[in-house]
Amino acid sequence: MSKTVFAALLALGLCACSNGDARAGDSAAPDATVAGTATGTGTGAAPGQAAATLAVTIHSANGAHVFTVESAMTEAEQARGLMYRTDLKPNRGMLFWPYPTDGSGPREASFWMKNTPSPLDIIYIRADRTIARIAENTIPFSETPIPSGEPVGAVLEIMGGRAGELGIAEGDRVEWPGAPG
């Protein structure tokens, strides 16, 4: 079996796991009650490919905070997310957009930390690009769902504790190239 076919089958298997029962999904990936999935293996890119990155800027009361993030735009990328990652840097992360990937419009999201060894701040972003909720310092490997609490159009994951360190809060505005509005 070729490496490409094996990688495709592996990605499909990860998607199936993370989009099934809300307790059967993968990592800080959105569980089945949502649409995609979040944190995955390595990068949002397929094995052997470099992950696409973009700048995400959060405008908070104390200034602008810029993160260079990997873009998870497909179900497979969102299923893989940041799982198994131990190398996340302070101003790096992953943006799950569009969310959900099918473009059906904002919906409630619920991520969990199965297979995710590093704590994350999961930032749920409304369709108007304001922060709806920040789940700070999520518990590594936890299978407890972490809900958005309202419909969202994107989700940003950054190193655990960074939102608090930088003074990022609910209601802050988030911008990235190609964002709606």
Side-chain angles (χ1 to χ4, degrees):
M1 178 181 302
S2 76
K3 288 182 181 180
T4 303
V5 172
F6 178 76
L9 290 173
L10 178 62
L12 288 173
L14 287 173
C15 286
C17 290
S18 63
N19 288 327
D21 178 280
R23 305 306 180 276
D26 286 328
S27 181
D31 69 29
T33 62
V34 159
T37 8
T39 57
T41 61
T43 69
Q49 294 179 335
T53 61
L54 63 143
V56 171
T57 304
I58 300 176
H59 299 277
S60 69
N62 63 0
H65 307 286
V66 180
F67 296 87
T68 300
V69 303
E70 296 170 30
S71 178
M73 298 176 70
T74 68
E75 272 193 59
E77 290 168 341
Q78 290 185 5
R80 206 170 25 256
L82 295 173
M83 285 190 304
Y84 308 105
R85 283 283 195 86
T86 58
D87 63 345
L88 195 59
K89 304 292 185 236
N91 291 319
R92 302 286 298 200
M94 183 170 281
L95 178 68
F96 299 80
W97 178 77
Y99 193 85
T101 60
D102 64 8
S104 62
R107 76 167 83 162
E108 287 199 37
S110 185
F111 283 38
W112 60 352
M113 295 292 291
K114 183 176 181 183
N115 297 326
T116 306
S118 302
L120 300 173
D121 287 349
I122 301 175
I123 301 173
Y124 295 103
I125 305 166
R126 296 180 186 101
D128 70 358
R129 295 187 331 271
T130 59
I131 296 175
R133 176 174 185 231
I134 302 172
E136 293 188 61
N137 274 316
T138 55
I139 300 168
F141 302 109
S142 174
E143 294 185 30
T144 302
I146 305 164
S148 61
E150 64 181 84
V152 296
V155 180
L156 175 65
E157 292 180 339
I158 60 176
M159 178 185 282
R162 284 298 283 163
E165 289 172 12
L166 298 173
I168 295 169
E170 293 177 6
D172 287 351
R173 187 149 188 81
V174 185
E175 296 179 351
W176 63 90

